[in-house]
Amino acid sequence: MAISALSPTAYFSSFSPSNDSLISSSPFKPFKLPTLWPWQKVKMGPLTVSPMGFGTWAWGNQLLWGYQESMDSDLQRTFNLAVENGINLFDTADSYGTGRLNGQSEKLLGKFIRQKQIQDNIVIATKFAAYPWRLTPGQFVNACKSSLDRMQLEQIGIGQLHWSTANYAPLQELALWDGLVAMYEKGLVRAVGVSNYGPKQLVKIHDYLKARGVPLCSAQVQFSLLSMGEDQIEIKKICGSLGIRLISYSPLGLGMLTGKYTPSKLPRGPRALLFRQILPGLEPLLNSLREIAQKRRKTIPQVAINWCICQGTIPIPGVKTVKQVEENLGALGWRLSSGELLQLEDAARESPGKMIQNIFQTR
């Protein structure tokens, strides 16, 4: 049977993490827990991380997410609550933050970690932009050092190449790969990963890094009930076969899978243009999410995030409020049934609305 003919649940089941990949913080193991719980961890390369992380794109982004510096105290409470409830994976990027606030997300994460005094337990996964002026390995290493300075950390958990330049600057791509190798060899990062890599480039960079003695720890891709096309299935297959952890960004489709918005009730800012285009075609999927949420006594976002977890991925929904942390934590500690998974996937296929592919993702 062709890959594209398989449902994601049927296909992904063979790549889901085994019980051996779960690490409980309790020394007592009277029985095997049936699913992932907040205090359990999963292996990602040399790292031990929570089964769900949180994204910090909104921390410093005024244009898309309406960030104001007056929000920083709320963001710190958001961070503290997440950590206190077992979340130790936080995703950021050196490009997160608009205008003069460029790098603000990293600065805030570093500040919150120092004030909480928990540096050893937190895994920061930051992404280094493939800016056109970063043309040499040394310049990419300097980008890593700048991130370390902003966060005031000695080492980053996962250093990630934010996107591939293969489509428009293949020579720069090789220099960036060598930069990843150099930052790993210098001990600036514990592990390396990529973001927005398609199937072909993912295999290429994995093989290149492996030949240099550097394991590829993670691959970050847009993955949700709105983004489960053939590329996602192929990427997941590759990750499963090569031992790469797949990190799901935008598991809630920028908010379209929260149930908060309708064609007549749109978010403020640029997102409204995208929502206006896609939301009218999401009725079958949102109805199924709502039905399962009501039956499970969960919320729509919790069901949508749990679907990602059931595929063996680590979702990183964005958070900027205590309420969002509280709600997203409810995606852990339970598992959708096989029937519910198939119901959601059927509804997703019936829904004409699909997330637009990130322009930075390669083949």
Side-chain angles (χ1 to χ4, degrees):
M1 181 181 292
I3 288 176
S4 58
L6 294 174
S7 74
T9 292
Y11 185 77
F12 289 162
S13 61
S14 61
F15 301 109
S16 297
S18 66
N19 287 336
D20 293 338
S21 68
L22 305 183
I23 302 172
S24 175
S25 60
S26 170
F28 305 102
K29 297 181 180 178
F31 61 90
K32 285 190 176 182
L33 295 170
T35 186
L36 294 167
W37 296 78
W39 56 86
Q40 285 189 303
K41 300 290 183 282
V42 299
K43 289 296 291 181
M44 185 156 61
L47 306 168
T48 301
V49 301
S50 44
M52 173 179 66
F54 284 144
T56 62
W57 182 18
W59 300 13
N61 189 299
Q62 295 175 316
L63 178 64
L64 199 63
W65 301 107
Y67 168 81
Q68 300 294 331
E69 290 176 86
S70 59
M71 298 176 177
D72 289 357
S73 57
D74 287 337
L75 291 176
Q76 181 157 15
R77 284 190 287 271
T78 297
F79 174 84
N80 291 347
L81 180 64
V83 170
E84 289 160 6
N85 283 274
I87 301 298
N88 77 329
L89 175 63
F90 294 87
D91 181 77
T92 184
D94 64 359
S95 61
Y96 285 178
T98 50
R100 65 177 181 83
L101 295 172
N102 191 56
Q104 182 75 350
S105 174
E106 289 184 334
K107 291 177 183 176
L108 289 173
L109 270 175
K111 175 184 175 183
F112 299 161
I113 290 170
R114 291 192 302 278
Q115 293 184 348
K116 194 74 174 168
Q117 297 183 338
I118 47 168
Q119 180 173 335
D120 293 342
N121 300 319
I122 299 299
V123 175
I124 299 297
T126 196
K127 300 181 290 293
F128 310 116
Y131 291 135
W133 54 85
R134 290 176 176 170
L135 297 172
T136 68
Q139 289 171 325
F140 212 49
V141 169
N142 287 339
C144 179
K145 291 179 178 178
S146 294
S147 289
L148 286 167
D149 288 344
R150 277 189 291 273
M151 292 185 280
Q152 295 184 37
L153 298 177
E154 294 181 359
Q155 190 180 49
I156 289 167
I158 310 173
Q160 305 165 100
L161 176 52
H162 204 156
W163 65 84
S164 168
T165 66
N167 289 346
Y168 60 91
L171 293 180
Q172 182 188 11
E173 176 96 339
L174 188 58
L176 298 178
W177 292 1
D178 286 339
L180 286 177
V181 171
M183 64 181 71
Y184 179 81
E185 291 178 342
K186 291 176 182 293
L188 302 178
V189 300
R190 290 191 63 193
V192 300
V194 293
S195 179
N196 297 309
Y197 265 62
K200 293 180 180 179
Q201 284 301 111
L202 181 59
V203 171
K204 287 180 181 178
I205 189 171
H206 168 272
D207 292 347
Y208 185 85
L209 294 177
K210 183 178 180 181
R212 300 288 301 275
V214 179
L216 182 60
C217 171
S218 62
Q220 196 175 135
V221 67
Q222 185 172 255
F223 187 93
S224 72
L225 281 162
L226 281 180
S227 303
M228 57 176 205
E230 291 185 13
D231 273 2
Q232 279 78 8
I233 292 177
E234 192 174 354
I235 290 167
K236 184 65 178 73
K237 175 186 176 183
I238 291 166
C239 287
S241 64
L242 298 179
I244 304 167
R245 270 287 178 182
L246 194 146
I247 299 174
S248 306
Y249 75 77
S250 292
L252 298 177
L254 298 178
M256 278 183 277
L257 295 183
T258 62
K260 290 169 52 179
Y261 303 105
T262 67
S264 59
K265 182 186 177 184
L266 300 170
R268 296 178 181 176
R271 281 191 300 159
L273 299 174
L274 183 65
F275 281 43
R276 188 177 290 112
Q277 178 183 346
I278 297 176
L279 271 177
L282 289 186
E283 189 171 345
L285 177 55
L286 289 173
N287 285 342
S288 286
L289 283 166
R290 192 173 293 109
E291 177 187 332
I292 292 172
Q294 290 173 348
K295 184 170 60 177
R296 286 276 189 169
R297 295 186 178 180
K298 296 292 181 180
T299 67
I300 289 176
Q302 288 167 353
V303 173
I305 294 171
N306 191 271
W307 180 87
C308 293
I309 293 172
C310 287
Q311 311 311 319
T313 77
I314 299 178
I316 49 168
V319 292
K320 58 179 182 177
T321 67
V322 165
K323 182 179 179 181
Q324 288 173 339
V325 171
E326 291 172 341
E327 181 169 26
N328 290 343
L329 286 169
L332 299 174
W334 60 285
R335 186 175 290 273
L336 290 161
S337 70
S338 58
E340 290 168 330
L341 292 169
L342 291 173
Q343 177 185 342
L344 289 171
E345 290 155 18
D346 287 343
R349 282 189 289 269
E350 292 171 12
S351 300
K354 297 289 186 294
M355 179 60 80
I356 294 172
Q357 186 67 54
N358 191 314
I359 61 171
F360 288 109
Q361 182 165 321
T362 61
R363 274 296 301 162

